[in-house]
Structure formats: C-alpha cells, structure tokens
Amino acid sequence: MIGAIGSAAPPNGGAAPNPEGAQHFSALSSYRGRLGSNGWGLGSDISSTGGGMVMGNPHFPWEGELQLWESHVEVAGEFEVYGVGLLGVPGVLIGFNDAVAWTHTVSDGHRVTLYQIVSPPGEPTRYVYDDEIRDMVGTEYTIDVEQGDGTLAQQSRTLWRTHYGPMLSLDPFYWTDALALSGRDANIDNYVLIQQFLGMNRAKSLEEFQQVHMEVSGIPWVNTMAASADGRAWYMDSTPTPNLTQEAIDAWYARKDSGFTKAFSDQDIWLLESGARDEWQDDPGARSPGLVAPANMPQLERSDYIFNANDSYWMTNPEQLLTGYSPLHGFAETGRSLRTRMNATILQEADAGMGYAGADGKLDLDELGEAALGNRSYTGELLRDELVGRCEGLDGWEVDGQLIPLAEACDVLANWDGHFNLDSVGAVLFREWIGDYDYGATFDVGTLFEVPFDPTDPVATPNTLVAADMMDGSDRSLDALGRAILRLGQAGIALDAALGDVQFVRKGEQDIPVTGGNRADGVTNLMVYDQLRSDLTPPIPRGAELYEPTSLTDEGYMLNYGSSFMMLVQYTDAGPSAKAILTYGESAEPDSPHFTDQTELFSARQWRPILWEEADILADPNLVEYEVVGND
C-alpha cells in the first residue's frame, strides 16, 4: 500500500491529480498468486516413530531481502531452537525445538478492507459518515530529495486520513469527486510480532505453543502448521482479521458483482461503504479492537495430518472440512489449486498406508523427504492420458492458419513419467500445454475442465478435459498443444527435451539444473520466475522472456523463486531428528564454497542432516568457533 498512500492527493477542481507513483489497484492482492508455500504437520497415525513430523517448504524469492537464513540459537537455561528467519527479525520464524516443530504458509485471509468515501461537493477533505460530515486529518511531511545534479532539495507533501486509515490513490481509481478510497489495516498496530515468535521458540509443549497464538496473537500474515513430540498435529490461521457483522458481510455479497465493488472483489479485495454498518466490531479476547478473537479463528488438531498450500483454511484436512468462519479468513467450499490437491493426495495416500509411506504404511524421515521432492504433477495425473487420447492418430492440427505436426508431441506426452524431475521427458511440453490456459480455469468448470468443482469432493474435482466441439470440430486442448509446440520451437527447445536440460537457476557464472514445476503444473515443489523485492542489488540476468505464464525465455526456464528453506523434522524417543536444504546456500559471496553447495544438493534432491545435539555439533569436522566479547 506504500505507493497508494504516498501518492494520494485530493482532487483539484473536481479533477484527479493523477499523481506519479500510484500503483494499479490489483497490486493490493497480487501477493496472493506470488507468495506461497506448502506446510505439513503429521501426527502419530502416520509417523513411523509415533512422534510428530513437520515438512516445511516456504516458496520465497532466491534474491533480494526476502531470502531466509538459518540459525541455531541456545540461551543457556532458557531455550534452544533451530530454524530460519528473515533479515531484520530476531529469532526463528520456521523451525523446531525439543517439543514442537512448525512451519508457515501465506494465509488466504484478508487483512485490509477498503472504504468507499463520499465527500460533500467541493469539500474533498471532508466525508459523509451516515448522517454526519467528518473532517479528514492532514499531516504535512517534508523530506530531502536528491536532485538530478546530486544536490538535495526539500519536498513537502500532505497526506490525508479518515478514521479508517490513510487515503489511497490506486490506478485507475484515483482520488476524485466521484470516488475516494480509504483503507484500514489489521496489522497497523501489531507491535507483538517478536513477542509472538519468542513465545513459539520457547514453547515446551504443544499446549504452550498454542497458548502463544491465543494470548499474544502476533502472527502477521501466515498460517501455522505444527506437530509435537507426543504425536499431535495442529493448524491455525491466526492472522489478524477484520471482524464484520453478518449484516455487513451480507451487504457486501449483495453488491460484490456490480459497480466499483465488483472491480475490487474480482481482485479479492473487500470494498466496504463508509458508515456504522461496515465498521469493524470489537470481539472480546482480540489483540486489538475490531479484530476477530483467536478463539473464533480457524484451527484444527488431529492425529493423522493437517496441511496448507495457500488456499483458505477450509480443506486443512479433507476428512474434516472447516466451516462457520468469517469469509474474511478466506472462502470455504471453493475450488482448490492444483498444488493444494497434490498436497492433499500425497497425504491421503500416506494416511491410507500407500504412496510414499512404504511397506510399513508409515512415513519415516527419508520417505517424508521423497514425498516433499517427489515432483509429481497433479495436473498431469488428471489430464495427460485424456490429452494423449485426443492427439493420438492425428498427423497435424491447424492453429491460427498454420498446420502443426502432432505425432512426435503426442508420443512424447504418452511416454512422460508424470513428474517434473531433471530426467523427465515430456514435462516441458506438458507445461507449455497447460500454460496455454488461463490459470483461473484450473479451479472450476470452464475452458479446461468438463466436470465442475464439487465441495463434497474437493480433492478430486474439477476434472475431465473439456470435450471437443461436435458441431464445428474445434478442440481447445489441441489448439493449446499446437501453440505449445510453436513456443518451444521459437525457444529452440526440442519436444523431447528433458526438464533438466532447460530448467535452471543461475548462481554467478554457473547454471545449475533444478527440478520442480509452476503453479499450473500441480507440483508441490514450486519453482518459477518472479520479482518480489525492494532492495537495490542488481537482479540476476535472464534471457528474453517469450511467454510469461510459464516463465519461458529464449534460454529455457531461468528460475529465481520457489522452494527456499526445506525442512523435515521427526520426533523420536531420543529427540528431534531433522534434515534440510537451504536451496540458495548460506553465502551470497561467489567465492565461498557455500555459494552453490546446497543448490547442488537441491538439484540432486538430496538432504543434509541438521545437527541438533551438542555432541554432533562438536564432532563436525567443519566446526569453527568464535567467542564474541562485549565492551562491558
């Protein structure tokens, strides 16, 4: 919201000032399709030791200030914890101690609501609130701004706010006499984030861990998946959430498909009306006035499993769907992403003693690692055979007036192993095929699926490739296959190229092949190209982009975003046993041996042990000890 706040200025004579710096209104929710993660908490029913297990797989940038960094912290007589944090945040954000392990995924809930502000004619810094007129508050800020010649000059700007929060300027909804926007942020007074994570780091049981969420309530924007040494798995979306009355929610639903509200609701943004009806309501036990109290937030404890992959709380476990919560926590009974469905399938199979669970029907730490980096494509499992059935026997297909040969492509898809591993031949072609569809088509019936989403069967639906048109002979699936063939030809990539031949991350002068798929591929190990950063270091150089939905460039798929700190934890009678990969390595210095070592592990799908016990640390041949002494 920074650009929207800083560029907001009242209209002059009815015309919008159209200030430089106002971002498009979709930027307020664009993170929903970018920040991601998978998080699993497994209980005694699935774990080979009977102790809890956690698989953490945050999908974050490989460059910029959002890289995660490992630490093992012991405060003698107080607590000991291992995990990762973000630059500038003390403590461990994702990790484990002797009693509990946890990970996070970005919540699908809403932490900001916008308000449509109406001003009296000619008075843009006053606004109507039911039957009264209120004054906005203006504050002038003056800062030094560097000029073109390197000198500094002072620049002043007045920023305005209502009682909800700051006024906003969003392209194309600038502050005009016809429409003005103000925003209220549920995190604006969250000053307890460090207290929250310190409490989690120190927790000596799952009960203490849960109590921190209930009493401190300082998690800013993530779900929590945890498992305990005694074999319990727990989920909670404790993110600060606006507490609206049912009347206000019903009124929003009544207008969400019309007018200005529709433009915002289509971007998953709540636009409310200024007045008492749409005010946030106080809830006893909430961290701050106007928020949902932790007791009324989605949570679930089970002995088999819980998980999240960035869809809402609703399908935390398909056997116990969560309902009855405010839609500002995210929507229930809606289609899930293909990645969510892959996560659920893997865990359902393990719960049934199948899949990666092995002969004993339970997951050990090695099998958990195989599941996390198995690179199965849910999209491929759903649709590959049907697509092959469409193209088999066809010599070619006309796309945009051009006849495209199909025989080789059809054969490549028929022999694809259904995975996105380095040696998977057919994965590249399948990616370009599914990438030809709009990503929104993967959630319900439409251009891709024939059978619609069914809330009573959320893992298996939607499904079935849309049938060819019997009237005119058109087939959307074959059009997409033809265009996929053309794009790969444009990029100079053979139809039978293995994924590892064309998909890589760039570390200095070295290109390292990596596994994984994008959002539409339905692979848990997400790897894409994206930029989500605000630091000033130069971006990693990349070839010319040919097709944004699949990250295809003229040199293949150069990726920089996705699986980051991958963590496996299992509690045993002797304590926690853990493995990890910090995919981009512990060092950003190209001459360090730790610049590429873990990226190479990630490429080979190999894990390294986490040294937790003091004896193991002292026995490490790579151990270096430093003593830091303060001045006093």
Side-chain angles (χ1 to χ4, degrees), residues 63 70 247 390 496 506 515:
E63 53 182 322
E70 285 180 86
E247 180 186 10
R390 299 282 180 90
D496 61 353
R506 182 157 285 154
T515 66

Side-chain angles (χ1 to χ4, degrees), residues 547-588:
Y547 193 58
E548 186 274 336
T550 61
S551 303
L552 179 65
T553 74
D554 60 3
E555 56 182 2
Y557 305 98
M558 197 285 279
L559 309 179
N560 70 342
Y561 191 114
S563 293
S564 54
F565 176 67
M566 302 191 70
M567 178 186 74
L568 312 172
V569 182
Q570 182 175 37
Y571 286 97
T572 71
D573 291 342
S577 177
K579 297 181 179 182
I581 313 171
L582 187 67
T583 56
Y584 33 73
E586 270 289 352
S587 177

Side-chain angles (χ1 to χ4, degrees), residues 249-484:
I249 292 170
D250 290 344
W252 179 83
Y253 271 110
R255 65 178 187 277
K256 78 178 186 70
D257 294 322
S258 61
F260 289 130
T261 307
K262 175 175 171 52
F264 286 94
S265 67
D266 285 348
Q267 296 293 329
D268 206 13
I269 300 169
W270 282 64
L271 176 63
L272 303 176
E273 296 179 332
S274 181
R277 184 199 64 199
D278 288 0
E279 289 281 6
W280 297 7
Q281 304 297 307
D282 293 349
D283 191 359
R287 187 203 72 222
S288 299
L291 303 183
V292 175
N296 298 320
M297 292 175 170
Q299 55 182 301
L300 179 65
E301 182 178 321
R302 290 182 66 93
S303 59
D304 51 1
Y305 67 89
I306 50 85
F307 83 100
N308 186 268
N310 308 117
D311 282 313
S312 77
Y313 62 86
W314 176 59
M315 200 174 77
T316 297
N317 183 300
E319 305 304 316
Q320 189 176 349
L321 299 172
L322 299 178
T323 58
Y325 297 98
S326 166
L328 281 95
H329 283 292
F331 297 103
E333 299 185 341
T334 56
R336 308 286 99 171
S337 75
L338 293 160
R339 178 164 57 88
T340 290
R341 295 166 71 185
M342 186 77 266
N343 276 267
T345 298
I346 291 170
L347 294 171
Q348 283 181 320
E349 290 174 351
D351 191 34
M354 301 162 54
Y356 297 100
D360 63 356
K362 306 273 189 176
L363 287 169
D364 61 28
L365 204 61
D366 290 338
E367 291 163 343
L368 184 64
E370 292 173 7
L373 282 175
N375 292 314
R376 287 171 58 183
S377 168
Y378 192 80
T379 322
E381 293 178 12
L382 272 182
L383 298 173
R384 188 271 304 271
D385 290 346
E386 292 183 66
L387 176 59
V388 170
R390 299 282 180 90
C391 65
E392 277 183 330
L394 292 178
D395 293 329
W397 188 259
E398 186 174 314
V399 178
D400 300 329
Q402 184 175 352
L403 184 64
I404 311 298
L406 295 184
E408 181 186 0
C410 199
D411 185 60
V412 167
L413 290 172
N415 290 287
W416 174 40
D417 64 7
H419 292 68
F420 277 75
N421 293 325
L422 295 185
D423 59 355
S424 294
V425 173
V428 174
L429 177 59
F430 187 83
R431 167 180 295 163
E432 290 302 320
W433 173 76
I434 190 62
D436 199 73
Y437 291 86
D438 182 82
Y439 180 62
T442 64
F443 290 86
D444 206 345
V445 66
T447 57
L448 179 62
F449 289 118
E450 185 86 18
V451 176
F453 167 72
D454 181 352
T456 67
D457 192 11
V459 179
T461 60
N463 59 50
T464 307
L465 194 58
V466 166
D469 192 313
M470 301 300 293
M471 298 296 293
D472 62 13
S474 62
D475 190 329
R476 176 69 176 83
S477 68
L478 295 181
D479 291 345
L481 182 57
R483 284 191 286 267

Side-chain angles (χ1 to χ4, degrees), residues 79 81 84-86 89-95 97 102-104 190 192-203 209 212-213 216-224 238:
F79 69 97
V81 64
V84 291
L86 289 167
V89 184
V92 166
L93 304 182
I94 291 175
N97 59 27
W102 68 94
T103 189
H104 298 297
N190 181 1
V192 293
L193 180 146
I194 294 175
Q195 181 183 346
Q196 170 76 36
F197 282 99
L198 178 61
M200 292 161 61
N201 290 183
R202 300 178 67 161
F209 188 84
V212 175
H213 287 74
V216 180
S217 195
I219 293 285
W221 40 267
V222 291
N223 302 286
T224 301
S238 62

Side-chain angles (χ1 to χ4, degrees), residues 72 574 576-577 609-623:
H72 184 171
S577 177
I610 290 177
L611 303 184
W612 173 254
E613 298 295 336
E614 190 71 11
D616 294 329
I617 296 169
L618 294 176
D620 185 351
N622 298 307
L623 177 67

Side-chain angles (χ1 to χ4, degrees), residues 81-250:
V81 64
Y82 190 106
V84 291
L86 289 167
L87 205 64
V89 184
V92 166
L93 304 182
I94 291 175
F96 67 94
N97 59 27
D98 275 322
V100 62
W102 68 94
T103 189
H104 298 297
T105 61
V106 175
S107 165
D108 191 47
H110 300 79
R111 288 162 288 282
V112 172
T113 58
L114 302 187
Y115 285 87
Q116 185 170 339
I117 301 301
V118 177
S119 295
E123 299 182 277
T125 59
R126 308 186 76 201
Y127 63 105
V128 177
Y129 184 86
D130 290 338
D131 296 330
E132 61 179 292
I133 305 296
R134 296 187 173 185
D135 292 322
M136 296 181 189
V137 175
T139 304
E140 184 178 73
Y141 298 88
T142 300
I143 62 172
D144 291 330
V145 179
E146 186 176 10
Q147 306 301 298
D149 60 2
T151 62
L152 298 178
Q154 288 194 330
Q155 181 175 322
S156 297
R157 180 174 294 172
T158 299
L159 301 183
W160 296 88
R161 60 188 301 113
T162 67
H163 74 287
Y164 300 114
M167 294 298 292
L168 308 173
S169 181
L170 289 162
D171 178 21
F173 301 108
Y174 301 105
W175 186 353
T176 70
D177 286 342
L179 175 69
L181 300 172
S182 183
R184 185 172 181 185
D185 179 3
N187 266 312
I188 199 67
D189 59 351
N190 181 1
Y191 304 116
V192 293
L193 180 146
I194 294 175
Q195 181 183 346
Q196 170 76 36
F197 282 99
L198 178 61
M200 292 161 61
N201 290 183
R202 300 178 67 161
K204 294 180 173 60
S205 66
L206 182 61
E207 285 77 12
E208 288 188 14
F209 188 84
Q210 293 168 329
Q211 198 66 18
V212 175
H213 287 74
M214 303 300 288
E215 293 182 353
V216 180
S217 195
I219 293 285
W221 40 267
V222 291
N223 302 286
T224 301
M225 283 65 58
S228 59
D230 59 2
R232 292 175 290 159
W234 180 70
Y235 161 88
M236 185 175 186
D237 180 1
S238 62
T239 52
T241 303
N243 185 37
L244 295 179
T245 65
Q246 190 60 49
E247 180 186 10
I249 292 170
D250 290 344

